[in-house]
Amino acid sequence: MENEKLIVGLDIGTTKICAIIGRKNEYGKLEVLGMGKAVSDGVIRGIVTNIDKTVNAITKAVNEASEMSNVDIGEVIVGIAGQHIRSAIHHGVIIRNPKDDEITVEDVRRLANDMENIVVPPGNSIIHVMPQDYTVDYEEGVRDPVGMSGARLEADFHIITAQSAAINNIDRCVKRANLQSKALILEPLASSLSVLSDMDKEAGVCLVDIGGGTTDVAIFYENIIRHTAVIPFGGNIITADIKEGCMVMQHQAELLKTKFGKAISEEANPNEIVSIPGLRNRPPKEISVRNLASIIEARMEEIIEMVQSEIATSGVYKKLAGGIVLTGGGSLLHGVGPLFEYMTGLDTRIGYPNEHLGKSKIEEVKSPMFATTVGLVLAGFKALDDREDTYRLKESTGNSGLKKGYKSEQMGRDIFGSITKKLKNFITDDIGDDQQQY
């Protein structure tokens, strides 16, 4: 196990903090070796609000995963979310030397690095620079420009920013837990690695990760990220609505939501009643399942309307052949899929993080609740953009194959031209000698 690459994903969520350690098996699938989780008391809507409580939860989760896998954990890939996340499209351009034969990976890297220096609002930092479509000498719609000829290279970039204070607080918590942050990844992008296939991303799909504090949205089309957003409502706001609407305790509201909750009130039996224990010296309280469903439906409709607005903003609403894929703990709520279909008009399914999972003794990891953490582990083996994997492969091989082929072709042309020239001179001289004899 010492020579194998082990990756640890750390999801700092609003309701739970989860750590998963995994490796690739002989078939290229992810094998989960250990998992640990702890209740998250120091995070509200994806933002760390209590350092000490968050550090204690991280330590507990990481220790559980370490004991289960019998591996010492030092580096982790951390997820980030929260209503402070912003995304925008920016255009970049570079002018190459016309004498250069072809566009190289270095040119693409230079264009992307230039986008790291764009001006962002004060207090924000760039966490992701993701290219969309390239343009080479005004020829639009180029997916991968490497190997093409051209002097002007430009592209649209999907820039994702986060509050610098939120990033620093996450980094501080990780360091105080005696860990090192290897990378910081936006959580919906991590979830997409574990839940979506390449075919889904090519056809066009909207991933909706319904967590405890936030609902994360990531929209793909033609295998390229088109839009990301974080909606500041999740499962916890539904629990709060039930608590106020039914006048019950917080833990009772959570149990009512998970065991008896429905996202469509018409599916609930109007005659079904749930009896829960009352307060001290008080009789039990009776809750109508139909009324409970009405409370849940009202809040879910609000969340779906916000998701629908984000899809419209992306500009690919009518192009999402893959529809909507729901994941996260909130996707397990009864009837949430049909409600999404009814309100958006798009096909909807529940996404499970078993797209790249191999056999594992931990069956719990296949739940949508752990899609983000599994995705963070996969991010250690696979880039968020498949073109990046191709570029890394070319860099590791020195990109020699393409250039060598080009040089061999040029050499062949030079040799052929030289032979043709000599033959032409020989024939000319021979004809001249014959004419002199006559």
Side-chain angles (χ1 to χ4, degrees):
M1 187 177 291
E2 294 180 356
N3 297 326
E4 293 175 334
K5 184 178 180 181
L6 299 175
I7 300 295
V8 182
L10 179 63
D11 177 19
I12 304 177
T14 303
T15 57
K16 71 179 186 310
I17 291 178
C18 180
I20 290 180
I21 180 170
R23 64 181 176 187
K24 284 292 186 72
N25 61 18
E26 62 271 22
Y27 304 106
K29 295 291 186 179
L30 178 64
E31 180 183 353
V32 176
L33 302 178
M35 182 181 73
K37 56 183 183 295
V39 176
S40 179
D41 293 327
V43 181
I44 298 178
R45 291 182 177 176
I47 300 175
V48 177
T49 57
N50 190 305
I51 298 292
D52 292 333
K53 290 183 178 180
T54 305
V55 170
N56 292 335
I58 291 174
T59 303
K60 180 181 178 183
V62 170
N63 287 342
E64 285 185 8
S66 179
E67 292 175 3
M68 186 179 298
S69 60
N70 196 25
V71 173
D72 292 332
I73 297 176
E75 286 187 338
V76 292
I77 296 178
V78 188
I80 185 172
Q83 57 187 355
H84 58 90
I85 300 293
R86 295 289 182 271
S87 66
I89 303 297
H90 291 270
H91 190 78
V93 57
I94 61 171
I95 305 299
R96 302 176 59 255
N97 187 351
K99 295 181 180 179
D100 292 341
D101 296 329
E102 60 188 33
I103 297 173
T104 63
V105 176
E106 288 76 13
D107 295 324
V108 176
R109 291 263 195 264
R110 181 158 63 94
L111 179 58
N113 291 336
D114 286 347
M115 303 308 296
E116 297 277 359
N117 301 321
I118 65 172
V119 178
V120 297
N124 286 354
S125 300
I126 296 175
I127 57 175
H128 290 296
V129 175
M130 309 191 71
Q132 296 188 328
D133 293 320
Y134 290 91
T135 301
V136 180
D137 287 348
Y138 304 101
E139 183 68 30
E140 299 179 350
V142 177
R143 173 170 166 77
D144 186 0
V146 175
M148 297 180 63
S149 297
R152 182 184 177 92
L153 177 63
E154 49 191 318
D156 290 326
F157 287 87
H158 186 73
I159 309 295
I160 302 174
T161 62
Q163 281 184 2
S164 301
I167 296 174
N168 293 335
N169 286 334
I170 290 176
D171 189 56
R172 186 174 291 110
C173 290
V174 172
K175 287 183 177 178
R176 287 184 58 178
N178 297 321
L179 299 169
Q180 187 69 30
S181 178
K182 187 177 181 181
L184 186 68
I185 296 178
L186 185 65
E187 291 188 355
L189 296 180
S191 299
S192 69
L193 292 178
S194 64
V195 172
L196 302 180
S197 65
D198 291 338
M199 188 178 297
D200 290 329
K201 296 178 183 179
E202 183 70 30
V205 66
C206 174
L207 175 69
V208 181
D209 188 342
I210 308 175
T214 61
T215 296
D216 306 329
V217 179
I219 299 174
F220 295 85
Y221 179 66
E222 293 182 342
N223 220 359
I224 297 173
I225 183 71
R226 300 295 179 179
H227 185 70
T228 55
V230 177
I231 298 170
F233 295 121
N236 285 0
I237 195 70
I238 299 175
T239 304
D241 290 343
I242 297 172
K243 176 185 175 183
E244 293 184 8
C246 298
M247 299 182 68
V248 295
M249 302 295 291
Q250 177 81 16
H251 68 280
Q252 292 175 333
E254 183 67 25
L255 288 174
L256 285 172
K257 180 185 73 173
T258 56
K259 292 185 177 298
F260 303 100
K262 298 179 185 294
I264 301 177
S265 59
E266 293 181 357
E267 293 185 356
N269 187 349
N271 299 321
E272 186 176 356
I273 302 295
V274 178
S275 179
I276 61 174
L279 298 177
R280 187 175 181 181
N281 298 326
R282 298 288 181 91
K285 183 182 287 289
E286 293 184 346
I287 306 296
S288 169
V289 174
R290 172 65 69 89
N291 291 340
L292 176 65
S294 299
I295 295 172
I296 296 173
E297 183 180 27
R299 183 61 77 175
M300 280 305 307
E301 286 179 348
E302 183 181 2
I303 294 174
I304 295 173
E305 287 174 357
M306 292 181 176
V307 172
Q308 196 169 8
S309 175
E310 296 295 342
I311 299 175
T313 302
S314 70
V316 293
Y317 199 129
K318 302 298 183 181
K319 301 178 182 179
L320 299 181
I324 295 175
V325 177
L326 302 177
T327 191
S331 65
L332 299 175
L333 187 64
H334 185 276
V336 69
L339 186 61
F340 262 90
E341 281 191 354
Y342 174 74
M343 293 190 63
T344 63
L346 297 171
D347 293 336
T348 304
R349 69 175 176 87
I350 306 298
Y352 294 87
N354 52 11
E355 181 71 25
H356 305 283
L357 278 180
K359 290 185 178 180
S360 174
K361 298 179 181 178
I362 311 171
E363 291 296 323
E364 187 181 8
V365 78
K366 297 180 180 179
S367 168
M369 295 176 62
F370 303 102
T372 298
T373 321
V374 172
L376 291 171
V377 178
L378 289 170
F381 298 100
K382 181 182 179 182
L384 297 174
D385 191 328
D386 59 349
R387 291 172 292 187
E388 184 64 26
D389 287 328
T390 304
Y391 297 156
R392 290 175 183 173
L393 180 61
K394 287 184 177 181
E395 286 178 332
S396 64
T397 58
N399 202 16
S400 58
L402 186 60
K403 292 183 178 179
K404 183 177 180 181
Y406 175 80
K407 289 181 178 179
S408 300
E409 184 179 357
Q410 286 294 109
M411 187 179 295
R413 289 177 181 174
D414 293 340
I415 294 173
F416 181 77
S418 178
I419 294 173
T420 304
K421 186 177 179 179
K422 289 181 179 179
L423 183 61
K424 183 178 179 181
N425 293 335
F426 173 77
I427 294 174
T428 303
D429 294 341
D430 191 36
I431 293 175
D433 293 340
D434 291 342
Q435 289 178 346
Q436 287 180 359
Q437 290 178 1
Y438 286 103

